[in-house]
Amino acid sequence: MKPLKGIRVIDLTHMLAGPYAGMVLADLGAETIKVEPVGTGEMTRTLLVDNPSYSFKGLGAYFLTLNRNKKSVAIDLKSEEGLKVFYDLIQHADIVLNNFSVGVIKKLKIDYNSLIKVNPKIITCSITGFGETGPNSSRPSYDQIAQAYGGGMSITGTNSSQPLRSGIPIGDLGGGLFAVIGILSALISKNSSGKGQHIDISLLDVQISLLNYMATMQTLSGENPEPIGNAHFVHVPYNSFTTLDGFIIIAVITNEFWKALLQVLDINDLNNPDFSEQEGRLKNQSFIEELINKKLSEHSTGHWLKVLSAARIPCAPVNNFSQALSDEQVIHRNMLVEVSHPRGGSVKMPGNPVKMSESPEGNFSSPPLLGEHTFEVLKSIMGYDTKRIESLVKKQVISSS
């Protein structure tokens, strides 16, 4: 049995940060009901659908991935009758997740203070760019805004004149992950207190948290760190190097690793007592890494991975996506899974990294068509009869696929 089986999540999210949080909860077994606008659905339903390389049977890569294991109910939340339907659904829910701009949920009357009148034990979570309080709370934000504002871009890349965002959208994905942490914490708290609560997640807050020890280094020294590419500010050699046919990462963080590397590479000029300790290697970083790069360029990445791994020296290839997704370790860990499409066929995508001894992963269900589960949810969960549901469909308060 999956660990969150029996937990019901109402997912009001769009784009990336919120849907990613909902996907993680759904992967862990929560019944995740995506509430979407009648007619249009959530905005990522149409993202990439016109690109044949990145879509499959009318669904793009965003929606296919982020909405697996979810159900879809289409409700017009801007109508009085639609809001009543939503409130009825909240009576049977544990969590409500959204990533609307600050003020939107209050305007729609679906904020925490409104929902606890319907369900006093409800847990709500809002993901916003700058949080729901503070002088800049109303500013719009997206992933790169969060990365830039939070300081991370200032240390990414090779020099301070060309700030560089992370290739992975860590602003949005980080916000989604911390939303899950907050939600799970609130569920545990409710077990003892019997009370729900509201969780306020800011993409900026998350980026500041992820600065971690580097932020403390700045507050201690008063100095702003500079981007240093793939090198390390303490350990040498700890960098990317060129091989005959690609690139390789070597990460020497102990003197024992250094001794082993000297034996593998057999470079006379590196057998210097000044390099035996980390401090001496750091002072001579450019010299050391230039010699290593020259040596590594003589053979293929595969050759060096074999001999370095045999010597237990931390190393890795710089894989492209196809290499990473076909790696034997990735496959063994079930990190590339096939998810069915509601119209038939399947799509390969990343799996669930949370491996639990007593909770097998199970299968991944398809992302839903718009309103695919409207009848099911209103009838089986909320107790609406068929006549009432058909009346709501006719009035366009709800829709069903």
PDB file of all heavy atoms in Angstrom, residues 106-136:
ATOM      1  N   LYS A 106      -8.265  34.476  -2.256  1.00  0.00           N
ATOM      2  CA  LYS A 106      -9.189  35.214  -1.384  1.00  0.00           C
ATOM      3  C   LYS A 106     -10.327  35.796  -2.208  1.00  0.00           C
ATOM      4  O   LYS A 106     -11.495  35.775  -1.796  1.00  0.00           O
ATOM      5  CB  LYS A 106      -8.443  36.322  -0.637  1.00  0.00           C
ATOM      6  CG  LYS A 106      -9.302  37.026   0.415  1.00  0.00           C
ATOM      7  CD  LYS A 106      -8.474  37.991   1.241  1.00  0.00           C
ATOM      8  CE  LYS A 106      -9.336  38.627   2.332  1.00  0.00           C
ATOM      9  NZ  LYS A 106      -8.535  39.568   3.168  1.00  0.00           N
ATOM     10  N   LYS A 107      -9.995  36.303  -3.382  1.00  0.00           N
ATOM     11  CA  LYS A 107     -11.005  36.852  -4.275  1.00  0.00           C
ATOM     12  C   LYS A 107     -11.997  35.777  -4.709  1.00  0.00           C
ATOM     13  O   LYS A 107     -13.203  36.026  -4.825  1.00  0.00           O
ATOM     14  CB  LYS A 107     -10.324  37.477  -5.506  1.00  0.00           C
ATOM     15  CG  LYS A 107     -11.278  38.163  -6.477  1.00  0.00           C
ATOM     16  CD  LYS A 107     -10.505  38.775  -7.634  1.00  0.00           C
ATOM     17  CE  LYS A 107     -11.447  39.446  -8.624  1.00  0.00           C
ATOM     18  NZ  LYS A 107     -10.704  40.032  -9.778  1.00  0.00           N
ATOM     19  N   LEU A 108     -11.503  34.559  -4.934  1.00  0.00           N
ATOM     20  CA  LEU A 108     -12.362  33.453  -5.348  1.00  0.00           C
ATOM     21  C   LEU A 108     -13.106  32.808  -4.168  1.00  0.00           C
ATOM     22  O   LEU A 108     -13.927  31.915  -4.373  1.00  0.00           O
ATOM     23  CB  LEU A 108     -11.522  32.381  -6.059  1.00  0.00           C
ATOM     24  CG  LEU A 108     -10.954  32.729  -7.437  1.00  0.00           C
ATOM     25  CD1 LEU A 108      -9.997  31.639  -7.916  1.00  0.00           C
ATOM     26  CD2 LEU A 108     -12.066  32.937  -8.446  1.00  0.00           C
ATOM     27  N   LYS A 109     -12.755  33.229  -2.954  1.00  0.00           N
ATOM     28  CA  LYS A 109     -13.363  32.691  -1.716  1.00  0.00           C
ATOM     29  C   LYS A 109     -12.991  31.223  -1.500  1.00  0.00           C
ATOM     30  O   LYS A 109     -13.799  30.425  -1.020  1.00  0.00           O
ATOM     31  CB  LYS A 109     -14.883  32.860  -1.742  1.00  0.00           C
ATOM     32  CG  LYS A 109     -15.347  34.308  -1.853  1.00  0.00           C
ATOM     33  CD  LYS A 109     -16.870  34.403  -1.910  1.00  0.00           C
ATOM     34  CE  LYS A 109     -17.317  35.845  -2.090  1.00  0.00           C
ATOM     35  NZ  LYS A 109     -18.791  35.969  -2.184  1.00  0.00           N
ATOM     36  N   ILE A 110     -11.758  30.914  -1.853  1.00  0.00           N
ATOM     37  CA  ILE A 110     -11.270  29.548  -1.629  1.00  0.00           C
ATOM     38  C   ILE A 110      -9.991  29.577  -0.798  1.00  0.00           C
ATOM     39  O   ILE A 110      -9.203  28.630  -0.817  1.00  0.00           O
ATOM     40  CB  ILE A 110     -11.045  28.797  -2.963  1.00  0.00           C
ATOM     41  CG1 ILE A 110     -10.071  29.555  -3.867  1.00  0.00           C
ATOM     42  CG2 ILE A 110     -12.369  28.574  -3.682  1.00  0.00           C
ATOM     43  CD1 ILE A 110      -9.683  28.810  -5.131  1.00  0.00           C
ATOM     44  N   ASP A 111      -9.759  30.652  -0.058  1.00  0.00           N
ATOM     45  CA  ASP A 111      -8.613  30.775   0.822  1.00  0.00           C
ATOM     46  C   ASP A 111      -8.844  29.986   2.115  1.00  0.00           C
ATOM     47  O   ASP A 111      -9.948  29.497   2.376  1.00  0.00           O
ATOM     48  CB  ASP A 111      -8.334  32.239   1.137  1.00  0.00           C
ATOM     49  CG  ASP A 111      -9.545  32.914   1.777  1.00  0.00           C
ATOM     50  OD1 ASP A 111     -10.620  32.938   1.143  1.00  0.00           O
ATOM     51  OD2 ASP A 111      -9.437  33.384   2.932  1.00  0.00           O
ATOM     52  N   TYR A 112      -7.826  29.880   2.921  1.00  0.00           N
ATOM     53  CA  TYR A 112      -7.896  29.074   4.149  1.00  0.00           C
ATOM     54  C   TYR A 112      -9.030  29.517   5.066  1.00  0.00           C
ATOM     55  O   TYR A 112      -9.799  28.683   5.567  1.00  0.00           O
ATOM     56  CB  TYR A 112      -6.560  29.152   4.893  1.00  0.00           C
ATOM     57  CG  TYR A 112      -6.541  28.404   6.211  1.00  0.00           C
ATOM     58  CD1 TYR A 112      -6.643  27.018   6.248  1.00  0.00           C
ATOM     59  CD2 TYR A 112      -6.420  29.087   7.425  1.00  0.00           C
ATOM     60  CE1 TYR A 112      -6.624  26.317   7.453  1.00  0.00           C
ATOM     61  CE2 TYR A 112      -6.399  28.400   8.631  1.00  0.00           C
ATOM     62  CZ  TYR A 112      -6.494  27.021   8.640  1.00  0.00           C
ATOM     63  OH  TYR A 112      -6.485  26.334   9.832  1.00  0.00           O
ATOM     64  N   ASN A 113      -9.153  30.820   5.278  1.00  0.00           N
ATOM     65  CA  ASN A 113     -10.195  31.319   6.184  1.00  0.00           C
ATOM     66  C   ASN A 113     -11.599  30.999   5.689  1.00  0.00           C
ATOM     67  O   ASN A 113     -12.523  30.815   6.489  1.00  0.00           O
ATOM     68  CB  ASN A 113     -10.040  32.824   6.394  1.00  0.00           C
ATOM     69  CG  ASN A 113      -8.819  33.159   7.238  1.00  0.00           C
ATOM     70  OD1 ASN A 113      -8.405  32.351   8.076  1.00  0.00           O
ATOM     71  ND2 ASN A 113      -8.234  34.323   7.013  1.00  0.00           N
ATOM     72  N   SER A 114     -11.747  30.915   4.372  1.00  0.00           N
ATOM     73  CA  SER A 114     -13.052  30.544   3.807  1.00  0.00           C
ATOM     74  C   SER A 114     -13.284  29.038   3.928  1.00  0.00           C
ATOM     75  O   SER A 114     -14.392  28.588   4.253  1.00  0.00           O
ATOM     76  CB  SER A 114     -13.149  30.964   2.342  1.00  0.00           C
ATOM     77  OG  SER A 114     -13.043  32.362   2.192  1.00  0.00           O
ATOM     78  N   LEU A 115     -12.235  28.261   3.692  1.00  0.00           N
ATOM     79  CA  LEU A 115     -12.396  26.803   3.638  1.00  0.00           C
ATOM     80  C   LEU A 115     -12.511  26.159   5.015  1.00  0.00           C
ATOM     81  O   LEU A 115     -13.145  25.104   5.153  1.00  0.00           O
ATOM     82  CB  LEU A 115     -11.245  26.177   2.846  1.00  0.00           C
ATOM     83  CG  LEU A 115     -11.151  26.587   1.364  1.00  0.00           C
ATOM     84  CD1 LEU A 115     -10.038  25.807   0.668  1.00  0.00           C
ATOM     85  CD2 LEU A 115     -12.470  26.406   0.637  1.00  0.00           C
ATOM     86  N   ILE A 116     -11.912  26.759   6.057  1.00  0.00           N
ATOM     87  CA  ILE A 116     -12.046  26.136   7.384  1.00  0.00           C
ATOM     88  C   ILE A 116     -13.483  26.256   7.905  1.00  0.00           C
ATOM     89  O   ILE A 116     -13.871  25.510   8.804  1.00  0.00           O
ATOM     90  CB  ILE A 116     -11.065  26.734   8.414  1.00  0.00           C
ATOM     91  CG1 ILE A 116     -11.237  28.254   8.539  1.00  0.00           C
ATOM     92  CG2 ILE A 116      -9.634  26.356   8.074  1.00  0.00           C
ATOM     93  CD1 ILE A 116     -10.418  28.838   9.684  1.00  0.00           C
ATOM     94  N   LYS A 117     -14.269  27.160   7.336  1.00  0.00           N
ATOM     95  CA  LYS A 117     -15.688  27.238   7.702  1.00  0.00           C
ATOM     96  C   LYS A 117     -16.441  26.034   7.132  1.00  0.00           C
ATOM     97  O   LYS A 117     -17.473  25.631   7.652  1.00  0.00           O
ATOM     98  CB  LYS A 117     -16.292  28.538   7.181  1.00  0.00           C
ATOM     99  CG  LYS A 117     -15.676  29.796   7.786  1.00  0.00           C
ATOM    100  CD  LYS A 117     -16.209  31.047   7.105  1.00  0.00           C
ATOM    101  CE  LYS A 117     -15.528  32.292   7.637  1.00  0.00           C
ATOM    102  NZ  LYS A 117     -15.980  33.525   6.917  1.00  0.00           N
ATOM    103  N   VAL A 118     -15.903  25.482   6.059  1.00  0.00           N
ATOM    104  CA  VAL A 118     -16.501  24.313   5.413  1.00  0.00           C
ATOM    105  C   VAL A 118     -15.959  23.026   6.014  1.00  0.00           C
ATOM    106  O   VAL A 118     -16.688  22.060   6.247  1.00  0.00           O
ATOM    107  CB  VAL A 118     -16.232  24.351   3.890  1.00  0.00           C
ATOM    108  CG1 VAL A 118     -16.821  23.128   3.206  1.00  0.00           C
ATOM    109  CG2 VAL A 118     -16.770  25.635   3.275  1.00  0.00           C
ATOM    110  N   ASN A 119     -14.624  23.006   6.252  1.00  0.00           N
ATOM    111  CA  ASN A 119     -13.950  21.834   6.804  1.00  0.00           C
ATOM    112  C   ASN A 119     -12.874  22.323   7.779  1.00  0.00           C
ATOM    113  O   ASN A 119     -11.783  22.708   7.363  1.00  0.00           O
ATOM    114  CB  ASN A 119     -13.326  21.012   5.680  1.00  0.00           C
ATOM    115  CG  ASN A 119     -12.623  19.763   6.165  1.00  0.00           C
ATOM    116  OD1 ASN A 119     -12.402  19.582   7.361  1.00  0.00           O
ATOM    117  ND2 ASN A 119     -12.247  18.889   5.244  1.00  0.00           N
ATOM    118  N   PRO A 120     -13.169  22.321   9.084  1.00  0.00           N
ATOM    119  CA  PRO A 120     -12.234  22.857  10.079  1.00  0.00           C
ATOM    120  C   PRO A 120     -10.888  22.153  10.126  1.00  0.00           C
ATOM    121  O   PRO A 120      -9.921  22.700  10.664  1.00  0.00           O
ATOM    122  CB  PRO A 120     -12.985  22.672  11.410  1.00  0.00           C
ATOM    123  CG  PRO A 120     -14.418  22.557  11.032  1.00  0.00           C
ATOM    124  CD  PRO A 120     -14.433  21.869   9.702  1.00  0.00           C
ATOM    125  N   LYS A 121     -10.799  20.963   9.561  1.00  0.00           N
ATOM    126  CA  LYS A 121      -9.547  20.205   9.600  1.00  0.00           C
ATOM    127  C   LYS A 121      -8.748  20.314   8.304  1.00  0.00           C
ATOM    128  O   LYS A 121      -7.734  19.637   8.137  1.00  0.00           O
ATOM    129  CB  LYS A 121      -9.835  18.736   9.906  1.00  0.00           C
ATOM    130  CG  LYS A 121     -10.403  18.499  11.303  1.00  0.00           C
ATOM    131  CD  LYS A 121     -10.552  17.005  11.578  1.00  0.00           C
ATOM    132  CE  LYS A 121     -11.065  16.751  12.994  1.00  0.00           C
ATOM    133  NZ  LYS A 121     -11.172  15.302  13.280  1.00  0.00           N
ATOM    134  N   ILE A 122      -9.180  21.174   7.393  1.00  0.00           N
ATOM    135  CA  ILE A 122      -8.527  21.262   6.094  1.00  0.00           C
ATOM    136  C   ILE A 122      -7.113  21.825   6.218  1.00  0.00           C
ATOM    137  O   ILE A 122      -6.849  22.705   7.048  1.00  0.00           O
ATOM    138  CB  ILE A 122      -9.358  22.106   5.098  1.00  0.00           C
ATOM    139  CG1 ILE A 122      -8.922  21.826   3.655  1.00  0.00           C
ATOM    140  CG2 ILE A 122      -9.258  23.596   5.430  1.00  0.00           C
ATOM    141  CD1 ILE A 122      -9.318  20.487   3.146  1.00  0.00           C
ATOM    142  N   ILE A 123      -6.210  21.301   5.413  1.00  0.00           N
ATOM    143  CA  ILE A 123      -4.857  21.842   5.276  1.00  0.00           C
ATOM    144  C   ILE A 123      -4.779  22.511   3.911  1.00  0.00           C
ATOM    145  O   ILE A 123      -5.118  21.899   2.901  1.00  0.00           O
ATOM    146  CB  ILE A 123      -3.798  20.729   5.376  1.00  0.00           C
ATOM    147  CG1 ILE A 123      -3.776  20.141   6.786  1.00  0.00           C
ATOM    148  CG2 ILE A 123      -2.414  21.254   4.987  1.00  0.00           C
ATOM    149  CD1 ILE A 123      -2.957  18.866   6.883  1.00  0.00           C
ATOM    150  N   THR A 124      -4.364  23.771   3.884  1.00  0.00           N
ATOM    151  CA  THR A 124      -4.205  24.458   2.604  1.00  0.00           C
ATOM    152  C   THR A 124      -2.746  24.853   2.424  1.00  0.00           C
ATOM    153  O   THR A 124      -2.032  25.119   3.389  1.00  0.00           O
ATOM    154  CB  THR A 124      -5.091  25.717   2.517  1.00  0.00           C
ATOM    155  OG1 THR A 124      -4.708  26.643   3.551  1.00  0.00           O
ATOM    156  CG2 THR A 124      -6.559  25.365   2.674  1.00  0.00           C
ATOM    157  N   CYS A 125      -2.307  24.884   1.189  1.00  0.00           N
ATOM    158  CA  CYS A 125      -0.923  25.264   0.870  1.00  0.00           C
ATOM    159  C   CYS A 125      -0.924  26.155  -0.359  1.00  0.00           C
ATOM    160  O   CYS A 125      -1.478  25.790  -1.404  1.00  0.00           O
ATOM    161  CB  CYS A 125      -0.075  24.022   0.619  1.00  0.00           C
ATOM    162  SG  CYS A 125       1.649  24.394   0.187  1.00  0.00           S
ATOM    163  N   SER A 126      -0.311  27.321  -0.228  1.00  0.00           N
ATOM    164  CA  SER A 126      -0.160  28.251  -1.347  1.00  0.00           C
ATOM    165  C   SER A 126       1.315  28.410  -1.687  1.00  0.00           C
ATOM    166  O   SER A 126       2.133  28.664  -0.799  1.00  0.00           O
ATOM    167  CB  SER A 126      -0.745  29.622  -0.995  1.00  0.00           C
ATOM    168  OG  SER A 126      -2.140  29.565  -0.842  1.00  0.00           O
ATOM    169  N   ILE A 127       1.638  28.264  -2.962  1.00  0.00           N
ATOM    170  CA  ILE A 127       2.999  28.497  -3.447  1.00  0.00           C
ATOM    171  C   ILE A 127       2.980  29.783  -4.262  1.00  0.00           C
ATOM    172  O   ILE A 127       2.271  29.870  -5.266  1.00  0.00           O
ATOM    173  CB  ILE A 127       3.491  27.340  -4.329  1.00  0.00           C
ATOM    174  CG1 ILE A 127       3.346  25.995  -3.623  1.00  0.00           C
ATOM    175  CG2 ILE A 127       4.942  27.569  -4.750  1.00  0.00           C
ATOM    176  CD1 ILE A 127       3.628  24.790  -4.522  1.00  0.00           C
ATOM    177  N   THR A 128       3.728  30.779  -3.809  1.00  0.00           N
ATOM    178  CA  THR A 128       3.808  32.050  -4.535  1.00  0.00           C
ATOM    179  C   THR A 128       5.271  32.442  -4.710  1.00  0.00           C
ATOM    180  O   THR A 128       6.158  31.847  -4.100  1.00  0.00           O
ATOM    181  CB  THR A 128       3.065  33.170  -3.783  1.00  0.00           C
ATOM    182  OG1 THR A 128       3.657  33.332  -2.487  1.00  0.00           O
ATOM    183  CG2 THR A 128       1.589  32.842  -3.626  1.00  0.00           C
ATOM    184  N   GLY A 129       5.515  33.451  -5.522  1.00  0.00           N
ATOM    185  CA  GLY A 129       6.884  33.860  -5.788  1.00  0.00           C
ATOM    186  C   GLY A 129       7.600  34.427  -4.582  1.00  0.00           C
ATOM    187  O   GLY A 129       8.751  34.100  -4.301  1.00  0.00           O
ATOM    188  N   PHE A 130       6.903  35.322  -3.857  1.00  0.00           N
ATOM    189  CA  PHE A 130       7.547  36.041  -2.761  1.00  0.00           C
ATOM    190  C   PHE A 130       6.875  35.823  -1.414  1.00  0.00           C
ATOM    191  O   PHE A 130       7.217  36.477  -0.435  1.00  0.00           O
ATOM    192  CB  PHE A 130       7.577  37.542  -3.087  1.00  0.00           C
ATOM    193  CG  PHE A 130       8.480  37.883  -4.238  1.00  0.00           C
ATOM    194  CD1 PHE A 130       8.017  37.835  -5.546  1.00  0.00           C
ATOM    195  CD2 PHE A 130       9.809  38.227  -4.033  1.00  0.00           C
ATOM    196  CE1 PHE A 130       8.850  38.138  -6.623  1.00  0.00           C
ATOM    197  CE2 PHE A 130      10.648  38.525  -5.093  1.00  0.00           C
ATOM    198  CZ  PHE A 130      10.169  38.479  -6.393  1.00  0.00           C
ATOM    199  N   GLY A 131       5.921  34.900  -1.333  1.00  0.00           N
ATOM    200  CA  GLY A 131       5.214  34.666  -0.091  1.00  0.00           C
ATOM    201  C   GLY A 131       3.990  35.555   0.020  1.00  0.00           C
ATOM    202  O   GLY A 131       3.802  36.493  -0.755  1.00  0.00           O
ATOM    203  N   GLU A 132       3.157  35.278   0.992  1.00  0.00           N
ATOM    204  CA  GLU A 132       1.891  35.997   1.140  1.00  0.00           C
ATOM    205  C   GLU A 132       1.976  37.190   2.074  1.00  0.00           C
ATOM    206  O   GLU A 132       0.987  37.889   2.288  1.00  0.00           O
ATOM    207  CB  GLU A 132       0.819  35.028   1.638  1.00  0.00           C
ATOM    208  CG  GLU A 132       0.517  33.930   0.628  1.00  0.00           C
ATOM    209  CD  GLU A 132      -0.520  32.943   1.121  1.00  0.00           C
ATOM    210  OE1 GLU A 132      -0.307  32.318   2.181  1.00  0.00           O
ATOM    211  OE2 GLU A 132      -1.552  32.805   0.439  1.00  0.00           O
ATOM    212  N   THR A 133       3.154  37.446   2.631  1.00  0.00           N
ATOM    213  CA  THR A 133       3.357  38.610   3.488  1.00  0.00           C
ATOM    214  C   THR A 133       4.606  39.351   3.034  1.00  0.00           C
ATOM    215  O   THR A 133       5.418  38.811   2.273  1.00  0.00           O
ATOM    216  CB  THR A 133       3.529  38.194   4.964  1.00  0.00           C
ATOM    217  OG1 THR A 133       4.709  37.367   5.084  1.00  0.00           O
ATOM    218  CG2 THR A 133       2.319  37.423   5.465  1.00  0.00           C
ATOM    219  N   GLY A 134       4.774  40.580   3.516  1.00  0.00           N
ATOM    220  CA  GLY A 134       5.974  41.339   3.202  1.00  0.00           C
ATOM    221  C   GLY A 134       5.763  42.373   2.121  1.00  0.00           C
ATOM    222  O   GLY A 134       4.778  42.340   1.378  1.00  0.00           O
ATOM    223  N   PRO A 135       6.715  43.319   1.988  1.00  0.00           N
ATOM    224  CA  PRO A 135       6.552  44.453   1.066  1.00  0.00           C
ATOM    225  C   PRO A 135       6.505  44.077  -0.404  1.00  0.00           C
ATOM    226  O   PRO A 135       5.977  44.840  -1.220  1.00  0.00           O
ATOM    227  CB  PRO A 135       7.781  45.325   1.371  1.00  0.00           C
ATOM    228  CG  PRO A 135       8.783  44.387   1.959  1.00  0.00           C
ATOM    229  CD  PRO A 135       7.983  43.395   2.734  1.00  0.00           C
ATOM    230  N   ASN A 136       7.049  42.921  -0.774  1.00  0.00           N
ATOM    231  CA  ASN A 136       7.086  42.525  -2.185  1.00  0.00           C
ATOM    232  C   ASN A 136       6.201  41.322  -2.487  1.00  0.00           C
ATOM    233  O   ASN A 136       6.359  40.662  -3.515  1.00  0.00           O
ATOM    234  CB  ASN A 136       8.528  42.223  -2.611  1.00  0.00           C
ATOM    235  CG  ASN A 136       9.411  43.447  -2.621  1.00  0.00           C
ATOM    236  OD1 ASN A 136       8.979  44.516  -3.032  1.00  0.00           O
ATOM    237  ND2 ASN A 136      10.630  43.308  -2.140  1.00  0.00           N
TER     238      ASN A 136
END
